[in-house]
Amino acid sequence: MEYPEHEKIAHELLKLIHDQGGSAKPKDCYEPLADYFKLSQVDRTGPRKDGRAGKQWHNLVQWARQRLINNEFLDGRQPGLWVITESGKKEFNRLRDYLRENLGVKS
């Protein structure tokens, strides 16, 4: 299977953290996101493609988190806790409103 694009992972990660009250531990994000994207067990647990230690799926989610930090949608200062910023809340609301208005998505 091909993994989802980084941007899609980032959007869903932002939504997940928002829906969990604005913060989440990394370990509480990997499986719900994998479920959302309907990843197989092999895709969830497969090793990184670059040969380094860890799982490919976790690495992709961590890169999505870094993208959100770089865009100031997540606060990366607290180890072990992913926290949405005010900018992140605004971005979440913008994306939600766009999906509702243009695609009829109810989330």
Side-chain angles (χ1 to χ4, degrees):
M1 171 198 177
E2 280 190 40
Y3 288 102
E5 296 173 9
H6 289 285
E7 187 172 328
K8 290 180 181 179
I9 298 170
H11 288 160
E12 288 306 315
L13 179 58
L14 186 64
K15 181 181 184 305
L16 177 67
I17 294 171
H18 181 274
D19 291 350
Q20 289 186 8
S23 65
K25 293 180 180 180
K27 68 181 178 103
D28 297 329
C29 296
Y30 301 119
E31 286 303 310
L33 288 171
D35 290 343
Y36 176 83
F37 289 111
K38 298 178 176 42
L39 297 184
S40 70
Q41 194 60 31
V42 170
D43 290 328
R44 294 168 192 243
T45 60
R48 286 179 52 164
K49 293 180 181 180
D50 62 8
R52 293 185 181 179
K55 298 174 185 171
Q56 181 67 18
W57 176 240
H58 289 199
N59 185 251
L60 291 171
V61 173
Q62 290 162 3
W63 274 108
R65 170 198 171 258
Q66 189 60 48
R67 172 182 240 167
L68 292 170
I69 289 170
N70 292 347
N71 288 321
E72 300 181 353
F73 298 150
L74 290 183
D75 182 344
R77 294 178 290 178
Q78 195 168 353
L81 191 64
W82 297 353
V83 181
I84 197 167
T85 63
E86 283 303 313
S87 294
K89 291 175 188 175
K90 289 176 185 174
E91 177 66 4
F92 168 79
N93 290 329
R94 186 193 69 75
L95 288 170
R96 183 195 59 209
D97 293 344
Y98 173 83
L99 292 172
R100 283 181 180 166
E101 292 171 12
N102 295 292
L103 302 176
V105 174
K106 296 176 183 172
S107 60

